[in-house]
């Protein structure tokens, strides 16, 4: 089955640890996509989705640890974006398992793919450049 998202060098933010974490998240988005295509619904889909949310939250925490440790000037804006994304992800959890779950799953996948890609290419690349300037790659 074709991947929903593919990590390429264009996604690189220049910091190995976070590139690896982003690759894992993209892998999990692809697993979610495959499960949806295979017709997975209800509690099983919720479990897969929850694993993805848990990884995303852990990843955001890792990034934020660096912001705090390095006194990153855009920490406030970046953390607010993480909060916004987390709230959106949790809202989807409550919708999975309702009657129109196929539509919700599709909507959720599109949201995840778009927002993750957009976040990595935008805000994450900014702190990647900042970390590079401070000797972290
Ligand atoms: Fe990130
Ligand atoms: Fe981020």
């Amino acid at each position: 089955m074709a991947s929903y998202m593919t990590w390429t060098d264009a996604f690189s933010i220049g910091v190995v640890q976070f590139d690896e974490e982003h690759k894992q998240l993209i892998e999990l988005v692809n697993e979610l996509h495959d499960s949806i295509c295979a017709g997975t619904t209800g509690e099983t889909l919720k479990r897969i989705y929850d694993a993805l949310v848990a990884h995303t939250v852990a990843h955001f925490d890792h990034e934020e640890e660096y912001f705090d440790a390095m006194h990153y000037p855009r920490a406030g804006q970046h953390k607010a974006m993480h909060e916004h994304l987390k709230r959106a992800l949790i809202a989807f959890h409550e919708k999975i398992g309702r009657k129109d779950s196929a539509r919700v799953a599709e909507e959720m996948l599109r949201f995840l793919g778009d927002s993750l890609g957009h976040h990595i290419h935008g805000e994450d690349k900014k702190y990647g450049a900042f970390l590079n300037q401070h000797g972290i790659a």
Side-chain angles (χ1 to χ4, degrees):
M1 191 178 292
S3 292
Y4 184 73
M5 284 180 87
T6 307
W7 196 94
T8 64
D9 286 345
F11 272 107
S12 176
I13 68 152
V15 180
V16 174
Q17 177 190 342
F18 294 121
D19 280 351
E20 288 307 317
E21 292 189 6
H22 289 150
K23 282 178 196 171
Q24 283 171 5
L25 292 182
I26 287 171
E27 235 6 87
L28 288 167
V29 170
N30 286 329
E31 279 176 31
L32 183 69
H33 170 252
D34 292 351
S35 308
I36 290 169
C37 289
T40 307
T41 55
E43 287 307 313
T44 312
L45 187 62
K46 251 185 192 166
R47 271 198 298 279
I48 297 165
Y49 182 70
D50 286 349
L52 177 53
V53 173
H55 274 82
T56 304
V57 171
H59 167 65
F60 287 170
D61 286 347
H62 294 159
E63 289 187 347
E64 292 178 14
E65 282 165 21
Y66 270 86
F67 301 162
D68 294 340
M70 305 295 293
H71 305 292
Y72 177 48
R74 290 184 62 83
Q77 289 103 307
H78 200 140
K79 285 181 184 179
M81 283 185 174
H82 286 170
E83 278 311 312
H84 177 79
L85 281 172
K86 280 193 263 188
R87 273 200 299 275
L89 293 178
I90 289 162
F92 272 121
H93 173 97
E94 326 217 307
K95 287 195 199 170
I96 304 173
R98 290 190 194 161
K99 285 201 289 278
D100 53 351
S101 67
R103 191 186 55 77
V104 169
E106 215 175 279
E107 203 183 298
M108 182 174 81
L109 189 65
R110 207 171 33 240
F111 172 81
L112 262 172
D114 288 354
S115 54
L116 198 63
H118 190 259
H119 185 74
I120 294 171
H121 285 301
E123 206 57 39
D124 280 356
K125 283 191 176 174
K126 291 181 186 157
Y127 86 74
F130 173 82
L131 291 184
N132 287 168
Q133 281 163 15
H134 290 78
I136 298 169

